[in-house]
Amino acid sequence: MNTRLWVSWLCVMIVACGSLLVAAVAEDPPATEAQRAYEIKATILCPVCDGQNVLESNAPVATAIRAQVDELVEQGRSDEEIRAWMARQYGSDVNAIPPRTGIASLVWIVPVFVAVVSIGALVFAFVRWRAGRELEVSDEDLRIVRALREKK
Amino acid sequence: MTAFLGTVGVGLGLVGAIGGAATLAMALFSRRREHHRRVFWWVGAMTAGCVLAVLAMEVGLLRDDFSMQYVAANSTRATPWLYKIATLWGALEGSLLLWALVLSGYVTAVSISFRRRIEDRLVAWALLTMLAVCVFFFGLLAAPADPFGTLLVAPLDGDGLNPLLRNHPLMAIHPVMLYLGYVGFTVPFGFAVAALITGRVGEGWLVTTRVWTLIAWGSLTVGILLGAWWSYEVLGWGGYWAWDPVENASLLPWLTGTAFLHSVIVQERRGMLRVWNLSLLLATFALTIFGTFLTRSGVIDSVHEFSASSLGPLLLGLFAAILVVSVALIGWRGDQLRSPGSIDSPVSREGAFLANNLLFTLFAFIVLLGTVFPLIVEAINNDQLAVGRPYFDRMLLPLGVALLLVMGIAPLLTWRSTSAHLLGNRALGPAALGALTMAAAVWLGAEGFGPVLGIGLGGFVIGSAVRHLVLTARRQGWRAATGRAGGGMVAHIGVSLLAFGFIASTSFSEEGEFQLRPGEVGSVAGHQIRFVQLTDEMDGPNRVVRAQIEVEGRGIYAPAITQYPTFGRPIATPSVATSLVDDVYLSLVAIPEENSDVVVVRVLVEPLVGWIWVGGFVIAAGTVLAIVPERRKRHSEMEDIVA
């Protein structure tokens, strides 16, 4: 590659990485209690409305859960404790995040496994294609190519 | 009388489908070519019957014929005429009637389009397969999901649909577009089965079905996005996609269909991936049936759920039959499907298509797993658990980012293999655009590594698509945007716009909830809203409470909340102050208390939501452009070598 291309790419990379760095630093972790409560509410489903979390739902029980989360956060309970409390109170299917233990953990593991296997299969296919690439050219092939060239 | 005509229509449809399938089957086995043409009469009868049935239902709905069970259960006198028409697809039986209508329409279109080739065994087998699917759906309408049941005593008024389904005109279009897409995949499915049966598994059938696949894919894309738009405008939670099982069911065939549209290019160009492409098509069709099973069997909880019915086992049976037939056919033709070619280098156009396919199928797999996982766990050990949005976000967002990257690189690569130097040269412009997009986003206040990376990649994709279009336009002028490559690049630009809207609206939205008296002001993300006044009216039997709210610089908006007598919880109807920069989304949280003029308003400020709909429009335009044939004749592989 020539120098100008290198320099141009360097500039592009500096702008890109600089932007990403600024963006990553600017995002502060949820520090205040209100932010923590907000994040928890976003992962608890409203028990009576299909698929909405308690932040989005106006159902009375969602309003009640929001208040309970605020209270539990104020008491200084950890995220896990609050989630467990909600599961006891309203059933384990209010937790929008499937647990990472027991049979439920499969929903996290299986996709990773499938991804690894399929990438492996693709790599294997490329290796095999590469090995079989030296195709033999028969006299017949050469004749066809020559005939086509002459036609041109 | 109307119901009777409807029943006659369904009967005629069923007879037409059976007769057509039997005629073709006999013609194929007896190898009497002149008999093939008789199928057109049967197809005509089937379609006429279906049209008659649909007209009968519409007449019943528009004339408030409550002696018809379906009308009494799903319509009311007070329903506006547009929603009366749309009630046809508002409930289980009617929606299957629409399905049958769209399917008959496709079969008729295929018959007309291939009328001169009907003696071709490939076309005959394809039509036979499609007619077999018709037999199944007309069979459902004839017995287990009969839309034309009657009541001995007609009630004075009907019950009406869920009010959510009759307060926005999008409800009239979204299901129709979705069905055009869903059902449209029956056509390429038919040809895929025909190719396997006749053993003509070369590239011919692919070229034949290209337009049909594109029409189905484009309609499905538009249908899904219209559904998202409807959800945004109507449901009042401020989002447009919830990873709800039924949304997932519509997305699954879209994902495999998109993978197919891309990998088929490798087959047409290089003659490879035959088994893979066939499998993708068969899977796409199977997934549309599986999605229908999920929606209509009552096995899952969802806002889209139709009333629980006995159709579940039948649809599951069809799904299983499709799977068995597909696997058996591919196994049977295994030898002929093996293709001699090879892919030389992963850094090549075909390598990028493979990466695309890997990502799309993985995406589809995760969506499928997340959707059915709660059912599996419940079946195994009776545990109730939910797989919600946080799961899909965490698993799929990285895949989305990877897809954007591949989308940007692929148009820059050449076939066979690409040198680092060439790629470095070609990618510089698009990469610079991507970097500048990131810098601009950060300057405008975007935060977070993931969102900004996604936005930058969106810029990169636009850069590489525009590069392709501009270079082609030098030779071909405006026709550069037509054909598969040109239309595809336009669609890529649409996907980027959609990605910008998705990323910005999910990552940078802000919200607030205010209790306001008339004249009081609240503020979210630099937007001031002022509560002007409350109106509380009766609209027929329904109590509608409307709050006039002024959004600074945008005018007055009126989110409402309605109490329907036949429906428990009050339904909030949001109001959205839209602009290309951001949407101010207003919704009322509850019906205000008696004698109080305090309203509780939820305000969401979501940047760039409008870009999602614009992006969808651009994708649709790209699909239409892709159907326009290219002027330049495709180089054959041989010509490439000789040149």
Side-chain angles (χ1 to χ4, degrees):
Chain A
M1 281 196 219
N2 57 33
T3 329
R4 230 176 90 197
L5 194 60
W6 274 112
V7 174
S8 310
W9 268 106
L10 196 66
C11 293
V12 167
M13 281 303 157
I14 288 172
V15 174
C17 296
S19 307
L20 283 174
L21 198 67
V22 173
V25 171
E27 187 186 40
D28 35 12
T32 66
E33 282 190 348
Q35 276 163 336
R36 191 160 79 88
Y38 184 90
E39 309 241 307
I40 294 173
K41 288 172 201 167
T43 63
I44 293 178
L45 298 174
C46 157
V48 296
C49 21
D50 310 306
Q52 292 184 4
N53 64 39
V54 295
L55 271 180
E56 295 153 353
S57 171
N58 293 335
V61 62
T63 316
I65 292 179
R66 283 201 294 264
Q68 283 159 350
V69 172
D70 285 334
E71 199 185 313
L72 289 167
V73 167
E74 211 167 289
Q75 287 172 15
R77 304 297 182 88
S78 76
D79 292 12
E80 284 314 308
E81 281 173 333
I82 297 175
R83 253 189 264 282
W85 192 89
M86 290 294 160
R88 273 199 307 280
Q89 208 74 6
Y90 299 99
S92 51
D93 53 350
V94 295
N95 188 0
I97 309 178
R100 284 156 200 277
T101 52
I103 185 169
S105 62
L106 282 177
V107 80
W108 298 100
I109 299 166
V110 172
V112 177
F113 177 75
V114 170
V116 169
V117 168
S118 42
I119 291 172
L122 206 56
V123 169
F124 175 74
F126 270 110
V127 169
R128 228 182 47 174
W129 277 324
R130 180 149 291 190
R133 206 169 76 189
E134 304 304 324
L135 279 176
E136 280 182 30
V137 181
S138 68
D139 292 344
E140 180 69 0
D141 294 340
L142 282 173
R143 198 187 56 75
I144 292 171
V145 170
R146 219 170 282 136
L148 274 169
R149 276 199 171 141
E150 276 161 17
K151 226 185 248 171
K152 232 184 169 186
Chain B
M1 182 63 196
T2 326
F4 175 71
L5 280 181
T7 311
V8 169
V10 169
L12 187 58
L14 182 61
V15 169
I18 294 176
T23 309
L24 270 183
M26 283 194 299
L28 278 165
F29 284 112
S30 66
R31 297 193 175 256
R32 296 172 85 160
R33 295 188 148 221
E34 64 280 10
H35 288 183
H36 280 85
R37 303 203 146 260
R38 291 184 189 161
V39 72
F40 294 137
W41 292 103
W42 293 107
V43 169
M46 173 184 82
T47 309
C50 195
V51 169
L52 179 66
V54 168
L55 283 179
M57 181 57 87
E58 290 295 6
V59 166
L61 285 166
L62 286 169
R63 291 171 69 181
D64 297 322
D65 185 349
F66 295 121
S67 66
M68 290 166 71
Q69 208 173 350
Y70 187 84
V71 180
N74 300 303
S75 188
T76 61
R77 285 184 194 282
T79 309
W81 66 269
L82 177 69
Y83 300 111
K84 281 185 180 167
I85 293 179
T87 301
L88 174 68
W89 46 90
L92 179 78
E93 295 86 359
S95 73
L96 286 172
L97 195 53
L98 176 69
W99 185 298
L101 180 71
V102 175
L103 186 56
S104 307
Y106 270 113
V107 171
T108 308
V110 167
S111 304
I112 293 174
S113 161
F114 291 94
R115 64 189 177 283
R116 288 180 220 291
R117 282 180 60 189
I118 189 65
E119 282 152 26
D120 182 342
R121 291 176 69 79
L122 181 80
V123 175
W125 272 110
L127 204 55
L128 175 57
T129 312
M130 287 176 235
L131 282 167
V133 179
C134 291
V135 171
F136 178 83
F137 278 97
F138 279 107
L140 289 187
L141 287 172
D146 177 15
F148 295 105
T150 50
L151 298 170
L152 281 176
V153 183
L156 289 174
D157 202 351
D159 298 336
L161 281 182
N162 181 332
L164 282 173
L165 296 179
R166 46 179 154 111
N167 61 358
H168 201 286
L170 277 173
M171 228 335 105
I173 325 169
H174 152 66
V176 178
M177 288 308 288
L178 203 62
Y179 278 29
L180 275 176
Y182 243 61
V183 180
F185 281 112
T186 315
V187 180
F189 169 75
F191 276 93
V193 170
L196 283 168
I197 291 177
T198 55
R200 281 156 56 185
V201 290
E203 282 60 60
W205 70 275
L206 283 177
V207 180
T208 310
T209 51
R210 196 177 97 79
V211 172
W212 301 91
T213 316
L214 274 174
I215 290 173
W217 183 86
S219 308
L220 186 58
T221 311
V222 172
I224 291 174
L225 284 169
L226 285 178
W229 198 7
W230 171 81
S231 152
Y232 180 72
E233 296 283 339
V234 170
L235 290 184
W237 57 280
Y240 37 83
W241 192 264
W243 296 112
D244 171 278
V246 177
E247 293 169 358
N248 296 350
S250 72
L251 187 65
L252 282 168
W254 185 87
L255 290 167
T256 50
T258 312
F260 171 77
L261 279 183
H262 289 90
S263 65
V264 77
I265 302 174
V266 179
Q267 183 175 345
E268 284 183 21
R269 180 92 187 193
R270 302 286 314 270
M272 302 182 62
L273 307 182
R274 286 176 180 174
V275 179
W276 178 243
N277 286 325
L278 278 165
S279 311
L280 278 177
L281 254 191
L282 300 173
T284 302
F285 182 71
L287 284 170
T288 65
I289 300 298
F290 185 69
T292 314
F293 159 71
L294 279 186
T295 358
R296 285 167 180 80
S297 61
V299 293
I300 44 165
D301 296 329
S302 149
V303 274
H304 297 77
E305 194 192 336
F306 286 89
S307 54
S309 73
S310 56
L311 299 189
L314 293 170
L315 285 162
L316 202 59
L318 178 64
F319 173 69
I322 293 167
L323 277 191
V324 170
V325 169
S326 303
V327 171
L329 281 175
I330 288 183
W332 177 46
R333 288 293 182 196
D335 288 346
Q336 292 182 36
L337 288 169
R338 219 158 282 147
S339 49
S342 73
I343 291 183
D344 309 277
S345 157
V347 190
S348 63
R349 187 71 70 79
E350 46 276 56
F353 281 128
L354 284 184
N356 153 306
N357 269 234
L358 180 74
L359 291 168
F360 267 113
T361 38
L362 202 56
F363 204 113
F365 175 76
I366 294 173
V367 174
L368 183 63
L369 180 72
T371 309
V372 299
F373 195 73
L375 296 177
I376 300 174
V377 170
E378 200 184 339
I380 293 177
N381 61 4
N382 227 5
D383 270 358
Q384 299 280 334
L385 82 98
V387 178
R389 230 170 301 161
Y391 169 80
F392 291 103
D393 287 346
R394 208 168 296 171
M395 299 300 269
L396 298 176
L397 288 182
L399 287 181
V401 168
L403 272 172
L404 280 175
L405 180 68
V406 175
M407 244 173 107
I409 293 178
L412 305 169
L413 296 169
T414 51
W415 291 91
R416 300 225 164 231
S417 81
T418 309
S419 70
H421 181 76
L422 186 69
L423 186 59
N425 252 320
R426 288 182 168 186
L428 182 61
L433 187 67
L436 288 177
T437 318
M438 278 193 221
V442 170
W443 185 65
L444 287 168
E447 289 172 359
F449 181 85
V452 171
L453 179 65
I455 288 173
L457 286 172
F460 177 53
V461 171
I462 292 185
S464 89
V466 168
R467 178 187 171 280
H468 175 97
L469 289 171
V470 168
L471 288 180
T472 328
R474 284 193 193 151
R475 291 200 309 273
Q476 304 180 9
W478 69 272
R479 290 201 66 117
T482 63
R484 180 163 53 205
M489 287 303 111
V490 173
H492 276 196
I493 293 174
V495 173
S496 294
L497 296 178
L498 198 152
F500 287 146
F502 173 76
I503 294 169
S505 62
T506 47
S507 311
F508 312 130
S509 70
E510 291 186 45
E511 68 171 287
E513 201 173 289
F514 304 98
Q515 293 196 11
L516 300 175
R517 285 173 195 289
E520 285 183 338
V521 171
S523 167
V524 178
H527 286 282
Q528 279 215 339
I529 59 140
R530 194 170 64 87
F531 173 38
V532 182
Q533 58 162 341
L534 198 70
T535 60
D536 191 340
E537 300 161 346
M538 294 304 285
D539 172 20
N542 313 321
R543 181 181 169 203
V544 185
V545 179
R546 218 175 276 280
Q548 310 266 333
I549 292 174
E550 186 186 350
V551 179
E552 198 192 15
R554 303 238 173 124
I556 293 195
Y557 292 84
I561 189 161
T562 310
Q563 180 71 60
Y564 293 87
T566 51
F567 201 72
R569 215 149 34 96
I571 304 282
T573 309
S575 182
V576 194
T578 306
S579 83
L580 274 183
V581 179
D582 56 12
D583 280 12
V584 181
Y585 192 100
L586 306 164
S587 64
L588 297 183
V589 173
I591 287 200
E593 282 165 34
E594 292 293 318
N595 303 322
S596 150
D597 53 0
V598 178
V599 290
V600 186
V601 192
R602 186 161 163 258
V603 184
L604 265 158
V605 176
E606 300 182 80
L608 306 192
V609 174
W611 291 37
I612 297 177
W613 324 128
V614 174
F617 180 77
V618 176
I619 296 175
T623 314
V624 173
L625 286 168
I627 294 174
V628 177
E630 281 159 290
R631 187 163 61 179
R632 183 171 58 100
K633 259 189 90 182
R634 203 150 258 302
H635 279 277
S636 73
E637 194 90 322
M638 187 63 94
E639 282 167 322
D640 273 353
I641 298 168
V642 176

